[in-house]
Amino acid sequence: MQTIELGRTGQHVSAMALGAMQMGGATDERDSVYMLNRYFEAGGSFVDTANCYEWWRRPGSLGGQSEELLGRWMREGNRREQVFLATKGSAVPIFSPDLWDDQGQPNWELARRTFEGAGADTLRHALDGSLRRLGTDHVDLYYVHVDDRSTPLEETLEALHGLVQAGKVRHLGWSNVRTWRLERIRQLCERNGWTLPVAVQQQHSYLRPGASADTPSIVDFEQLDYLREHPDQTLVAYSPILKGVYDSAAKRDGHWMMENYTGPDADARLAVLADVAAEAGVKPNQLVLAWLLHQESPRVLPLIGPRTRDQFDDALPALDVKLTDDQLHRLNNAGT
């Protein structure tokens, strides 16, 4: 597996990251360990989790299952030094029995209104909990999982800088964030000598969000332009294949992931994607991952989050797909 530099840190990480969100929840331990082992056999090292994963799977839970599983896996194989380990804080909802209905289904509207946020004490306690579950004294990358606009940025950034100074965190990241907030973060870090986040984890794929899409979680044209101008921050692309919708028109039809992407632009890009996939002899999902791996301005680090062994095994061939200049040109320029 190829590596890329994280920002301008000198730290090289695998060009494709493995997301552990569903490990210990929707994905049982046996299948999780299979995927982790296969990923490392393929040359990977960058594993991504969060303290909130997967609170929504079981009434009464507030997460931590993914971190606990990763901790066990690292201890059993003495792997900690081989893992570039990322986790996140700020997105655990404040506990309430109303977080689940009578059928045990999560109340996402309430969760999004009551996430714990990025206050200084909250982040310090959240990181300590993550370190305990992961069985390590530091993480390589620590994200603010959900941008918290109710807490002063100064408070959050100073606390994060303190965690770096204490040796508990090597690098910082931010997720689900507007571009203007990234610039404000940059200005405050420069002014105060605080540690600048070097990873920006956002939803990013081959399809482009429509004009009506309005979410801080999805990369838009402005954010791409900003990241081109600031290569000291690497775009980590979550949901890169949009729950696997590229392989199936039937799956795309009515799928909630398509709500922000439908329209003439999407139709045109899907048509070109199908043509190039046929030429390259790969599946459209695989081609999307390969296209992301080929992006240079800005560089993109796709983060896969398979739930099953088959989904994982289906993603790996993307690492070996080589696209011609003509194919890249057609893919890049498809649409309106």
Side-chain angles (χ1 to χ4, degrees), residues 135-211:
T136 185
D137 63 357
H138 74 281
V139 293
D140 300 292
L141 177 60
Y142 192 61
Y143 289 96
V144 172
H145 196 167
V146 178
D147 189 33
D148 175 13
R149 288 164 63 171
S150 65
T151 299
L153 270 174
E154 292 87 346
E155 177 183 343
T156 300
L157 288 165
E158 185 174 19
L160 291 170
H161 180 68
L163 297 175
V164 174
Q165 295 295 102
K168 294 182 177 183
V169 173
R170 298 278 170 83
H171 305 286
L172 297 175
W174 222 274
S175 186
N176 302 298
V177 59
R178 300 280 187 184
T179 305
W180 69 266
R181 291 277 286 179
L182 289 175
E183 177 59 21
R184 178 66 174 150
I185 289 165
R186 178 178 294 275
Q187 291 173 4
L188 287 169
C189 288
E190 291 176 353
R191 184 181 309 158
N192 294 284
W194 293 330
T195 306
L196 178 72
V198 297
V200 180
Q201 188 176 136
Q202 300 283 90
Q203 185 173 309
H204 183 57
S205 187
Y206 178 65
L207 292 183
R208 299 181 289 209

Side-chain angles (χ1 to χ4, degrees), residues 47-69:
V47 178
D48 177 278
T49 186
N51 65 337
C52 67
Y53 295 155
E54 289 189 293
W55 71 262
W56 53 91
R57 288 288 167 188
R58 187 175 70 250
S61 169
L62 285 180
Q65 296 91 343
S66 173
E67 290 180 329
E68 290 171 350
L69 186 149

Side-chain angles (χ1 to χ4, degrees), residues 219-286:
V219 175
D220 58 14
F221 290 105
E222 181 182 44
Q223 196 159 88
L224 283 175
D225 188 52
Y226 182 85
L227 293 169
R228 287 188 193 101
E229 293 297 314
H230 297 94
D232 55 355
Q233 294 182 314
T234 295
L235 174 57
V236 179
Y238 75 79
S239 295
I241 57 173
L242 303 178
K243 305 296 184 184
V245 300
Y246 291 101
D247 280 358
S248 169
K251 187 171 184 178
R252 287 194 297 274
D253 186 23
H255 197 289
W256 63 270
M257 285 294 284
M258 291 297 296
E259 291 174 1
N260 290 302
Y261 297 97
T262 54
D265 182 73
D267 294 340
R269 288 176 80 79
L270 287 167
V272 172
L273 186 75
D275 289 344
V276 176
E279 290 175 13
V282 298
K283 298 176 181 178
N285 283 333
Q286 294 168 340

Side-chain angles (χ1 to χ4, degrees), residues 276-320:
V276 176
E279 290 175 13
V282 298
K283 298 176 181 178
N285 283 333
Q286 294 168 340
L287 180 58
V288 169
L289 291 172
W291 177 79
L292 290 167
L293 289 164
H294 279 75
Q295 296 306 294
E296 296 182 349
S297 184
R299 294 296 301 271
V300 180
L301 197 160
L303 168 65
I304 61 170
R307 179 178 54 83
T308 68
R309 295 186 184 204
D310 286 346
Q311 290 172 355
F312 174 81
D313 290 338
D314 208 43
L316 276 189
L319 295 167
D320 299 321

